[in-house]
Amino acid sequence: REFCQEFLTDVRVPDSDRVGEVDQGWTVGTRWMFHERMLYNSPLVTMPGGGAHFGGSAASRILAVARDAGRLDQPIVRDRLGETRVLEVVRNALQRRVGAGVVSGKTSDQSAAIARLFTGVTGTRISSIAFEIAGEIGAAWNEEDGAAASAGVGFLMRQVSCIGGGTTEMARNVISERVLGMPRERSADRDVAFREVPRSPTTRA
């Protein structure tokens, strides 16, 4: 019940709308997911502008939360600001390095999953830091609370960075199997077309 699958029956797609070769949709899909994992480093991926969760420096956003929450002078808050800045610097450097490695051919294109995983993990951490700094304002706020007012919503939405663009669980699998060459988990449906994969009959109450 926690996994969503959609089955389309008797659907006809005009050949003019076909992308790639017939019966090679998985090849197209995996390449699309590659660009999603590349995120900012892919010319085919864009991010919407505006809003608290897009654009700008994460450290600047956390600084604004601390200022509007009246906690900027607290040592623990300043420590969290430093942590945010370090995570941001490392993330940006990692994305540049992975992108350069893929372009030069020195790194597997599947290494994009490394940057994707790091981005997801740090995204949840930074949202948690903002919520921690906001304190009670993160749970109940009004329009006068400024940047701190968005910390609660950001905390509730923090897992988005681990889902959008391919889940971090999938990124871990890609890193394990395709980057590090570790053995794949046993699967009975490997190299089998999806329509030929045995499925349990649907039961209705």
Side-chain angles (χ1 to χ4, degrees):
R1 294 182 180 180
E2 296 180 357
F3 188 79
C4 175
Q5 286 183 302
E6 295 183 6
F7 299 92
L8 306 179
T9 305
D10 298 328
V11 175
R12 287 187 171 275
V13 178
D15 192 66
S16 59
D17 292 339
R18 174 171 51 85
V19 177
E21 301 299 322
V22 175
D23 292 330
Q24 293 298 314
W26 184 240
T27 301
V28 175
T30 53
R31 195 61 185 172
W32 168 50
M33 288 186 283
F34 157 75
H35 285 288
E36 284 193 331
R37 291 195 300 271
M38 285 291 287
L39 199 61
Y40 301 109
N41 293 308
S42 170
L44 304 181
V45 176
T46 59
M47 298 290 288
H53 305 289
F54 303 103
S57 165
S60 297
R61 295 196 300 272
I62 300 300
L63 179 64
V65 171
R67 181 193 62 235
D68 293 347
R71 302 186 62 192
L72 193 55
D73 294 333
Q74 297 181 12
I76 186 63
V77 171
R78 299 179 74 86
D79 180 73
R80 294 294 183 266
L81 283 167
E83 179 185 351
T84 301
R85 180 57 182 157
V86 169
L87 290 174
E88 188 172 43
V89 169
V90 173
R91 181 195 64 199
N92 294 341
L94 177 63
Q95 288 180 338
R96 288 193 300 270
R97 176 158 186 166
V98 170
V102 171
V103 170
S104 67
K106 295 180 180 179
T107 306
S108 164
D109 59 3
Q110 298 301 317
S111 297
I114 299 174
R116 191 277 168 272
L117 175 60
F118 191 82
T119 299
V121 172
T122 57
T124 58
R125 176 55 183 157
I126 291 172
S127 294
S128 298
I129 288 174
F131 184 70
E132 178 184 341
I133 292 175
E136 64 273 11
I137 296 176
W141 61 88
N142 57 48
E143 295 180 356
E144 298 177 355
D145 292 324
S150 65
V153 176
F155 182 74
L156 294 174
M157 296 291 291
R158 68 193 182 280
Q159 287 302 120
V160 168
S161 63
C162 290
I163 299 173
T167 65
T168 50
E169 285 82 0
M170 290 301 298
R172 294 175 197 275
N173 283 344
V174 171
I175 294 169
S176 172
E177 299 171 8
R178 303 182 187 179
V179 178
L180 301 178
M182 298 177 69
R184 178 178 176 143
E185 292 184 26
R186 184 180 179 280
S187 175
D189 58 6
R190 185 173 174 82
D191 298 325
V192 176
F194 182 77
R195 59 177 172 269
E196 298 175 6
V197 175
R199 292 188 291 274
S200 300
T202 302
T203 57
R204 297 180 181 273

